[in-house]
Amino acid sequence: MENLMAFRPATDSSAKKAPAKSPYPLLERREGLSPLTFFSDFVEKSRPVIIPNALKDCPALSRWTMDHLAQVAGNRPVQLKQGLNEEGVNGLRTITTRLDGYLEQLANFENLLQRNGATAKQRPAYLHDLPLLSVLPDAANDLKGFPTTYFPEWYQTDWLKFAQFFLGPSHSLTPLHFDCLLTHNLFFQIRGRKRFTLLHHDQLPSCYRYKWRWCEVDVENPDFIRYPLYRAAQVQECIVEAGDMLYMPPGMLHHVRSLDCSISFNVDWHTRGSAIRGVMALLKGMPIKNVYYNTVIALGQCAGLSAGQVLPWYRSYLNYVS
């Protein structure tokens, strides 16, 4: 583990390379936003927002280092996504490796990158959307103080079972897309920074959709000759830093670039209304497998079942590649 032990991602803001100035308006940041106001002013109005320092009381912010992951979960098999790149996802495939081997790949790449010995296109694959508890089964101990009241009550007891984990190198990229179940999305950054480029779902016609939920436009270098409708698209951007929480409403288009070696997780969740709308999306072309997962949540919420009770029928979504 010599290379891993030698690598220390920058944690002091002065040591980080400042991102290029955004051409897009910046997303609203609301530190200390109460859950009541969050639901009334953002969830109910389909408005995205960043809540800075939402995770400030969680030990994970200091505990989840690369060394810690290697120590507690290094022997675990993990699935990586290869082919998430600037050209789209037509070459997307998954590969399986051990976490400790992947951590060494990250360390080698970041060390070379810092010495200008590697380029962004040489980055390793991306550990993307794995069940958090499959990587860190004791994550609850590190997330004491987590702000569960930003979830609907139906999820608050079992939210951690729905959480998905992300780990990747600097320059990791997820091209422009929307979440496949049309869920609400709470995204939590643990280490490093990510830049999100955001468009409301009603901007989809300007983004040249393919494969149902992916978009052809490269928001970092838009080709207005090939994609002229994008010129009029209404775009926002934000940088999510360690400790921050980002809320994205159902169907929000997002393009995500890691500015540093990064650890994060998210939870896709439904209200009763969004789950029913997710079922009805079958009429708009949603794949039948996605409709099944939305039906499971909608039936569970309408029938008075708990999130834990419906999880066995929903669990396979947490490893779903689409």
Side-chain angles (χ1 to χ4, degrees):
M1 271 305 165
E2 180 180 351
N3 290 329
L4 177 61
M5 297 298 291
F7 168 59
R8 293 290 184 276
T11 55
D12 180 79
S13 58
S14 64
K16 298 174 181 175
K17 182 179 179 181
K21 185 176 180 180
S22 171
Y24 302 122
L26 298 180
L27 185 64
E28 183 176 0
R29 300 175 69 89
R30 290 284 297 275
E31 187 159 6
L33 183 66
S34 73
L36 182 63
T37 304
F38 167 65
F39 278 97
S40 65
D41 289 5
F42 295 94
V43 175
E44 293 179 10
K45 296 179 181 178
S46 293
R47 295 171 56 201
V49 67
I50 288 182
I51 304 178
N53 298 310
L55 298 179
K56 64 181 186 300
D57 296 327
C58 295
L61 277 182
S62 58
R63 192 172 294 167
W64 288 7
T65 64
M66 303 300 171
D67 292 338
H68 178 75
L69 293 179
Q71 181 179 358
V72 304
N75 63 351
R76 292 185 175 273
V78 292
Q79 220 175 38
L80 311 177
K81 289 184 180 177
Q82 198 164 51
L84 290 166
N85 56 44
E86 292 80 357
E87 290 74 40
V89 298
N90 283 320
L92 179 64
R93 66 187 183 95
T94 60
I95 54 178
T96 301
T97 187
R98 275 176 42 137
L99 181 58
D100 52 7
Y102 180 58
L103 290 168
E104 288 201 45
Q105 288 183 48
L106 294 183
N108 288 335
F109 172 74
E110 297 293 335
N111 282 322
L112 286 171
L113 194 65
Q114 290 171 7
R115 301 197 301 267
N116 296 318
T119 67
K121 289 204 177 269
Q122 293 173 304
R123 62 186 180 265
Y126 192 5
L127 194 161
H128 184 288
D129 267 336
L130 285 186
L132 174 60
L133 293 178
S134 73
V135 180
L136 293 168
D138 297 324
N141 296 329
D142 299 331
L143 292 168
K144 292 175 181 176
F146 182 86
T148 58
T149 49
Y150 287 106
F151 293 118
E153 186 176 355
W154 193 75
Y155 284 92
Q156 287 180 18
T157 300
D158 293 298
W159 74 270
L160 191 53
K161 297 174 184 176
F162 291 81
Q164 292 178 284
F165 183 72
F166 300 78
L167 168 65
S170 301
H171 303 293
S172 291
L173 172 69
T174 306
L176 190 64
H177 69 289
F178 59 87
D179 293 332
C180 65
L181 301 189
L182 297 176
T183 45
H184 301 265
N185 185 339
L186 281 176
F187 185 91
F188 304 92
Q189 191 70 13
I190 298 294
R191 300 189 78 79
R193 301 166 298 162
K194 289 188 173 181
R195 182 176 59 223
F196 283 72
T197 308
L198 305 170
L199 300 92
H200 278 281
H201 197 68
D202 62 9
Q203 301 296 298
L204 187 58
S206 300
C207 298
Y208 300 84
R209 173 167 57 168
Y210 72 105
K211 289 191 173 182
W212 191 68
R213 75 186 191 103
W214 298 94
C215 296
E216 294 182 13
V217 173
D218 178 357
V219 303
E220 294 178 335
N221 296 287
D223 183 341
F224 295 122
I225 295 176
R226 187 173 182 184
Y227 306 114
L229 295 178
Y230 186 73
R231 189 182 296 275
Q234 298 175 24
V235 186
Q236 292 178 286
E237 192 169 273
C238 64
I239 293 177
V240 184
E241 303 198 24
D244 290 354
M245 178 179 85
L246 168 65
Y247 167 67
M248 293 180 284
M252 172 145 276
L253 297 159
H254 48 290
H255 170 285
V256 189
R257 172 75 74 175
S258 293
L259 302 179
D260 312 297
C261 191
S262 175
I263 299 173
S264 41
F265 66 90
N266 86 305
V267 179
D268 295 330
W269 53 273
H270 270 310
T271 60
R272 185 179 298 186
S274 66
I276 292 172
R277 288 192 294 272
V279 174
M280 298 304 295
L282 175 66
L283 303 176
K284 297 182 179 180
M286 178 180 279
I288 190 66
K289 189 171 184 179
N290 301 22
V291 175
Y292 160 78
Y293 292 119
N294 285 333
T295 302
V296 166
I297 298 298
L299 289 176
Q301 293 188 343
C302 292
L305 301 175
S306 70
Q309 286 174 304
V310 305
L311 187 61
W313 289 275
Y314 184 83
R315 193 185 305 276
S316 57
Y317 167 68
L318 301 176
N319 287 296
Y320 181 27
V321 176
S322 68

